Amino acid sequence: MKEVVVIGAGASGLAAIRSLLKYKDKVNITAYEVSDRVGGLWVNRDPYKTSPMYDGLQTNSYKAVCGFADSLGVEVKESYVYHSQYLQYIEDYSKKFNMHQYIQFRHRVLEVDPYKTENERERWCVTARNETNGVVRTQQFDAVVVCNGHHEKPHIPDVKGMKTYTGETMHSIYYQSPEYFKGKTVLIVGGKVSGLDILFHMKSAPKKIYFSHHNPLIASPLPDNTEHVTDISEISGDDIILNDGRVIQADIILFATGYEYYFPFLSDRCRPTVKDGHVTNIYRMMVDIDHPSLYYIGLNTVVVALYQLSFQAELAAAFISEKIPPVSKEEMKKEYDDWYKRHVTDLGKRPKDCHIMPFNQHEYAAILAKESLSDFPVTSLPQQLLLRGMKMSSANYEHWRSTIYKILSNDSYETVYLHPVYSSVVNKV
């Protein structure tokens, strides 16, 4: 029997446990979770860790395709699932497969360190602390599946003069409700989904909202109290100096600027090199090439997450259980280099774009499914409907989640309801 440790019991960890359970005659599963419940980032106001959830947050993936690959639809009335409904779905999924028996709650992993056995086989020393009684214990494992997500360490841009700012700064991970911003002037920095979601969520509370980002101007109408401004050049006391030379003031700067990959528990001997937002040297964006028994589930972004996590977990479980033969380091390195060249270098993109895959997530899932010999159904609908939603939100951000679709087949759908605001742009979306 192989001993396998899963770090984290959010959606990534549950996907890993689900796939490993297919081989429970070959593997023993131990999962560590710092909280006292499953759900990870979908738990709002978790007393044991910070979460980017807030009241009213909805998913970006349509309800019929936003679940795990073997349970794809989430049965709710709304087109796009609220975070509390999503958490309930995740909890129900865990209960369905009796996953709680494998999870040690309120346990924080302190260190993961590789060592070689007498026959040169790599194993792992994993040290975890029981946060309830303080007991620290080290165990040995044959494989490690890292499922701690990528929403733990907020990224704050290095702005010249930030330390002189006399107002308040905060990251979107700490946003909870509009009331805190009532009557204030707010500068939101970051023009991706989190920035826009928060902007429209708080829209009626602030006196004024400045919206700063370096993307092309968003075509969607913005609230009447909102004004597009350029990037911040520097800060001097009360003054926020923009790239175009304009000077504005704000009570609060809210950074919706994403997160950094963070693996504090991995020792120096196995911690991956993260270059410009890209976790380097990993096969299929999930297997450490230098340490092939170390797996990462959930590094990619701008995807239908739970669906993709399922296939990453399937491949990890297939390797660990020896359902499929190992891939040589040379072959893995070639695949990684080829993928990076095709999706980054040849397209002139940034290293971090290797993990951002709205346009190739179906190709990616199909590759993982084929290699792992998975019995989970593969469908292009998650990618199709995510891209459709992105186009809808570009045209009008306030109403895109009201759209209703009907699933016709594994790869086709039709639009059942479209908000009237889209009538003039229907051909564009």
Side-chain angles (χ1 to χ4, degrees):
M1 296 284 284
K2 285 190 174 182
E3 299 293 334
V4 184
V5 63
V6 176
I7 301 174
S12 300
L14 298 184
I17 295 170
R18 162 70 177 108
S19 291
L20 287 165
L21 283 174
K22 293 182 175 182
Y23 313 100
K24 57 185 177 182
D25 59 331
K26 297 181 179 180
V27 301
N28 286 325
I29 305 166
T30 299
Y32 291 122
E33 168 55 48
V34 73
S35 187
D36 60 354
R37 61 190 296 183
V38 301
L41 68 88
W42 293 99
V43 179
N44 190 20
R45 298 182 177 90
D46 190 327
Y48 303 112
K49 59 185 178 184
T50 305
S51 163
M53 291 301 107
Y54 54 86
D55 295 336
L57 184 142
Q58 289 177 274
T59 64
N60 302 319
S61 305
Y62 190 66
K63 64 180 179 181
V65 294
C66 71
F68 294 101
D70 61 335
S71 182
L72 197 54
V74 179
E75 298 298 327
V76 295
K77 178 182 178 181
E78 296 80 5
S79 296
Y80 288 82
V81 183
Y82 283 97
H83 75 85
S84 56
Q85 298 169 323
Y86 214 30
L87 177 61
Q88 185 64 58
Y89 165 84
I90 291 169
E91 290 175 339
D92 290 345
Y93 188 81
S94 174
K95 292 174 184 176
K96 178 180 178 180
F97 296 101
N98 299 311
M99 296 187 196
H100 283 59
Q101 63 183 303
Y102 304 99
I103 304 169
Q104 295 188 32
F105 293 102
R106 298 296 291 124
H107 278 70
R108 183 182 301 276
V109 175
L110 303 177
E111 184 179 59
V112 174
D113 191 46
Y115 71 94
K116 290 292 181 69
T117 64
E118 291 183 357
N119 62 0
E120 291 299 300
R121 185 167 65 90
E122 187 168 71
R123 296 195 81 222
W124 300 88
C125 284
V126 177
T127 302
R129 180 177 63 227
N130 184 320
E131 298 289 68
T132 302
N133 58 26
V135 173
V136 176
R137 183 183 180 192
T138 299
Q139 293 179 270
Q140 285 72 45
F141 294 92
D142 297 290
V144 176
V145 188
V146 176
C147 303
N148 68 321
H150 51 254
H151 292 86
E152 185 174 354
K153 185 178 181 181
H155 171 70
I156 301 284
D158 184 16
V159 178
K160 182 181 178 182
M162 177 78 82
K163 292 181 180 179
T164 72
Y165 183 53
T166 55
E168 180 183 352
T169 63
M170 67 183 294
H171 189 274
S172 59
I173 194 173
Y174 300 109
Y175 176 81
Q176 276 294 317
S177 68
E179 283 70 27
Y180 184 76
F181 303 87
K182 189 173 182 179
K184 297 180 180 180
T185 297
V186 181
L187 169 60
I188 297 178
V189 179
K192 297 296 178 62
V193 172
S194 61
L196 282 161
D197 274 351
I198 289 174
L199 189 159
F200 278 92
H201 191 254
M202 69 156 64
K203 64 179 182 177
S204 59
K207 176 177 64 178
K208 174 75 174 182
I209 301 174
Y210 291 109
F211 188 36
S212 169
H213 56 88
H214 49 254
N215 301 322
L217 282 183
I218 294 167
S220 170
L222 298 178
D224 292 339
N225 63 344
T226 302
E227 179 184 351
H228 268 120
V229 295
T230 60
D231 275 349
I232 301 174
S233 174
E234 63 178 291
I235 294 174
S236 178
D238 289 338
D239 293 336
I240 302 167
I241 305 165
L242 304 176
N243 278 349
D244 60 3
R246 183 181 175 190
V247 179
I248 62 173
Q249 288 80 38
D251 299 301
I252 300 175
I253 300 177
L254 191 153
F255 289 97
T257 45
Y259 300 82
E260 299 176 13
Y261 293 108
Y262 188 54
F263 313 106
F265 46 83
L266 295 181
S267 75
D268 291 341
R269 294 197 287 178
C270 62
R271 186 176 299 123
T273 298
V274 180
K275 179 182 179 182
D276 298 328
H278 168 52
V279 181
T280 63
N281 207 39
I282 48 174
Y283 175 71
R284 302 293 192 215
M285 295 293 104
M286 55 168 288
V287 185
D288 191 307
I289 295 174
D290 292 327
H291 304 278
S293 55
L294 175 60
Y295 303 87
Y296 299 89
I297 308 298
L299 294 180
N300 299 329
T301 63
V302 196
V303 297
V304 179
L306 272 61
Y307 175 75
Q308 185 174 108
L309 300 175
S310 299
F311 291 106
Q312 291 181 324
E314 286 286 273
L315 184 58
F319 278 134
I320 293 168
S321 67
E322 300 180 12
K323 174 184 178 181
I324 59 175
V327 180
S328 71
K329 289 186 178 181
E330 292 75 21
E331 290 178 277
M332 287 195 287
K333 185 65 167 63
K334 182 180 184 305
E335 185 279 335
Y336 167 75
D337 289 341
D338 288 348
W339 182 273
Y340 190 89
K341 180 178 183 298
R342 186 154 61 96
H343 295 285
V344 178
T345 307
D346 290 351
L347 299 178
K349 292 191 173 183
R350 306 161 298 176
K352 68 185 295 183
D353 290 320
C354 198
H355 294 297
I356 301 174
M357 50 172 65
F359 300 104
N360 56 338
Q361 57 183 302
H362 175 56
E363 172 197 5
Y364 176 74
I367 290 171
L368 299 186
K370 181 178 181 180
E371 184 169 359
S372 64
L373 305 178
S374 175
D375 57 0
F376 288 169
V378 179
T379 167
S380 65
L381 286 175
Q383 176 172 311
Q384 287 189 56
L385 289 172
L386 181 69
L387 294 178
R388 170 78 171 184
M390 290 169 66
K391 290 181 180 179
M392 299 283 291
S393 66
S394 295
N396 187 294
Y397 203 87
E398 186 168 15
H399 298 291
W400 70 275
R401 288 189 176 96
S402 66
T403 312
I404 299 174
Y405 303 105
K406 179 181 179 181
I407 306 303
L408 301 177
S409 71
N410 197 44
D411 293 297
S412 64
Y413 69 92
E414 67 179 10
T415 303
V416 175
Y417 171 77
L418 196 64
H419 193 281
V421 298
Y422 296 104
S423 61
S424 62
V425 292
V426 66
N427 293 329
K428 298 180 181 179
V429 298

